[in-house]
Structures are given as C-alpha cells and as structure tokens.
Amino acid sequence: NSKVCFILGNGPSLNADINEKLDIFRMGDTFCVNDFAETDLYQKIQPEYYVFADPAYWDPIASERFVTMRNALFQQVLSKTSWLLTIFVPFEGKDLFESVFARAPNIGLSFYNTSSLPQGEKILVNILYDLGLCMPAAQNVLIPSLFLSLRLGYQKIILFGADHSWHETI
C-alpha cells in the first residue's frame, strides 16, 4: 500500500489545482468521488478508489431525472474503467451497486457503515471507528473519503478540489 494518497473532491478548484500536474498521481493512490467518471481526467488519472456517499446514488425514490443521470454515470464507469478500481459505497447502496457492478471483472465493491455517534468516551468511539462500525458524520463525500483512506493506512493524504461553492448562492 502506498503511504500517500490523493482525494479528488468535486469543488470548483479541482481543474485548476491539477491542470497539467497529472504526473503527481503516480506518486500515490487516488480516490475520486461522485460524478468524476464523467470527466476526461477519469481515464487520464485512473483512480484506484471511487467513493459514493450521497443516497441519491442508490435511493429507489430518487427523482426520475437523477435516476437517469446516475444510470448514465454508472455506464460511464463500466465502459471507461480498464484498470482495477474499488468502489466504496454505504451498505444502504449495496443492492443497487451489486446489481450494476458485480459482473465487471476489474471493479470491486467495498461497503462501509455510515453510522455516526454523538460525543462520547473517546476510547469507545475510537474502537468503533477502528472496527468500521461507525464514522464521523458524513456532511459531504470528503468525510468518508478521508475516513476510508485513513482506515486503509495512508499516512499522507493530499486533497484537491476540496472547496465548496454552495455558500456563494445563499
């Protein structure tokens, strides 16, 4: 396992952060999130890990528009991925992701628990974190990406595109 990993968020600075710096990704493993497979960078970087956290990616009652969008994304992941890839998805999405990706020979699925705990005894919380039975509250996909990369033993985590623009429209 590489001691360095990169997490590619979907913030507006991502393209500016990594534009023409693609060689850096050979120094470690890469995590991508959400709709990253729809970008040209997906095949250029060939991330080792793909993290989903938003229930809309598996929720059976998501809007028809979003179901169409997620199905198109899944097809892009299937058609573009020619390298080994592990997709992380919460246990709630297990059935849908298995139905879509189970037969893809180079795509593995790994499921994680999104349960979070209120403040409590640090030793108990740390044990539950170590066992993967809970995690910090996932306010966005970067939280599970960071948590999963730490659980995989990465010692240096470099974030790209970790900014958000949602507050600019309030």
Side-chain angles (χ1 to χ4, degrees):
N1 190 17
S2 170
K3 293 181 181 185
V4 177
C5 75
F6 304 94
I7 297 176
L8 306 180
N10 52 13
S13 70
L14 178 63
N15 287 332
D17 283 350
I18 63 174
N19 192 24
E20 298 181 21
K21 300 175 189 170
L22 298 180
D23 287 344
I24 193 170
F25 297 104
R26 293 188 186 136
M27 297 171 48
D29 295 335
T30 304
F31 288 72
C32 68
V33 302
N34 295 342
D35 298 334
F36 190 71
E38 294 180 342
T39 70
D40 293 335
L41 292 172
Y42 181 69
Q43 288 176 289
K44 290 178 183 176
I45 294 173
Q46 297 185 355
E48 285 79 10
Y49 304 103
Y50 207 130
V51 181
F52 291 94
D54 188 335
Y57 286 104
W58 60 84
D59 192 340
I61 58 169
S63 72
E64 184 178 329
R65 180 177 154 264
F66 200 88
V67 169
T68 300
M69 289 170 44
R70 78 179 177 208
N71 289 342
L73 171 67
F74 294 165
Q75 287 307 310
Q76 287 201 40
V77 172
L78 287 166
S79 67
K80 290 181 177 180
T81 308
S82 60
W83 60 92
L84 294 178
L85 175 71
T86 299
I87 296 176
F88 287 103
V89 66
F91 279 106
E92 299 93 313
K94 185 176 191 283
D95 291 341
L96 177 63
F97 275 74
E98 282 183 337
S99 71
V100 173
F101 296 104
R103 292 195 175 127
N106 51 341
I107 297 175
L109 296 172
S110 185
F111 304 101
Y112 65 93
N113 192 333
T114 58
S115 300
S116 60
L117 292 177
Q119 294 291 351
E121 291 294 322
K122 274 191 171 187
I123 192 162
L124 174 62
V125 171
N126 288 339
I127 289 169
L128 293 173
Y129 283 175
D130 288 345
L131 295 172
L133 297 175
C134 68
M135 65 182 296
Q139 301 297 327
N140 64 51
V141 71
L142 292 177
I143 301 300
S145 298
L146 287 164
F147 184 76
L148 293 164
S149 63
L150 289 169
R151 290 203 69 229
L152 288 170
Y154 291 99
Q155 296 176 3
K156 185 173 185 179
I157 301 167
I158 301 170
L159 297 172
F160 290 100
D163 54 318
H164 291 275
S165 61
W166 63 266
H167 65 281
E168 295 172 4
T169 59
I170 293 179

